[in-house]
Amino acid sequence: MARESRLAYAALGFGLAAALACWNPLAAPFGLVVGLASVVLSVRALRRGVRRPFAAAGLALSVLAVGASALVLALTAGIGRDLSGQPVVAGPSREEATRTLDAAAERTRAARERARTELDQIDGKPAGGKPRESAPGR
């Protein structure tokens, strides 16, 4: 009998812990897991019929905590929110990005052409891009 009584108290304690952790985005996963465990403990305590008010209070607290934790996690992830307004970090415009990429391509053009020429010579192709009939040493 004492063991079943402790089960109801444990369900209430876990429900209270889940309720205290459900409001904070960092603790909401903990509140969700502990709340689900408290639901299981509360249902087991209610089925055994011992300390029903404590088990029922634990069940009510844990169900509310699970719902609140799920809501906090969903809102933290951005579900159900419209992201209006100015972005925190503004990205470059299309013209600015094109200008930056073109400048980088111009700076590295000579090195890329030299590397392409060297690779073509290794592969047995002349610098013009046409493959040789037979590569020497192959």
Side-chain angles (χ1 to χ4, degrees):
M1 186 75 170
R3 183 172 183 222
E4 286 131 2
S5 166
R6 284 186 281 178
L7 186 62
Y9 290 133
L12 181 60
F14 276 105
L16 184 61
L20 291 174
C22 70
W23 63 274
N24 185 345
L26 293 176
F30 174 75
L32 186 67
V33 171
V34 172
L36 290 173
S38 178
V39 166
V40 171
L41 289 176
S42 299
V43 169
R44 287 181 61 193
L46 283 172
R47 284 190 180 167
R48 291 187 181 164
V50 180
R51 302 279 186 196
R52 290 182 80 75
F54 289 104
L59 181 62
L61 269 175
S62 61
V63 167
L64 289 174
V66 166
S69 293
L71 179 67
V72 167
L73 288 173
L75 291 175
T76 302
I79 297 174
R81 289 191 297 173
D82 184 26
L83 300 177
S84 60
Q86 296 295 324
V88 175
V89 178
S93 66
R94 183 177 296 273
E95 294 80 24
E96 185 180 352
T98 303
R99 219 177 15 253
T100 303
L101 290 174
D102 288 344
E106 191 58 40
R107 265 193 335 266
T108 61
R109 183 177 316 278
R112 286 184 288 121
E113 287 176 358
R114 187 175 63 244
R116 187 173 297 122
T117 303
E118 290 174 7
L119 285 174
D120 287 344
Q121 289 174 355
I122 291 173
D123 288 341
K125 297 178 187 174
K130 298 177 187 174
R132 293 185 190 166
E133 294 300 319
S134 66
R138 286 193 181 177

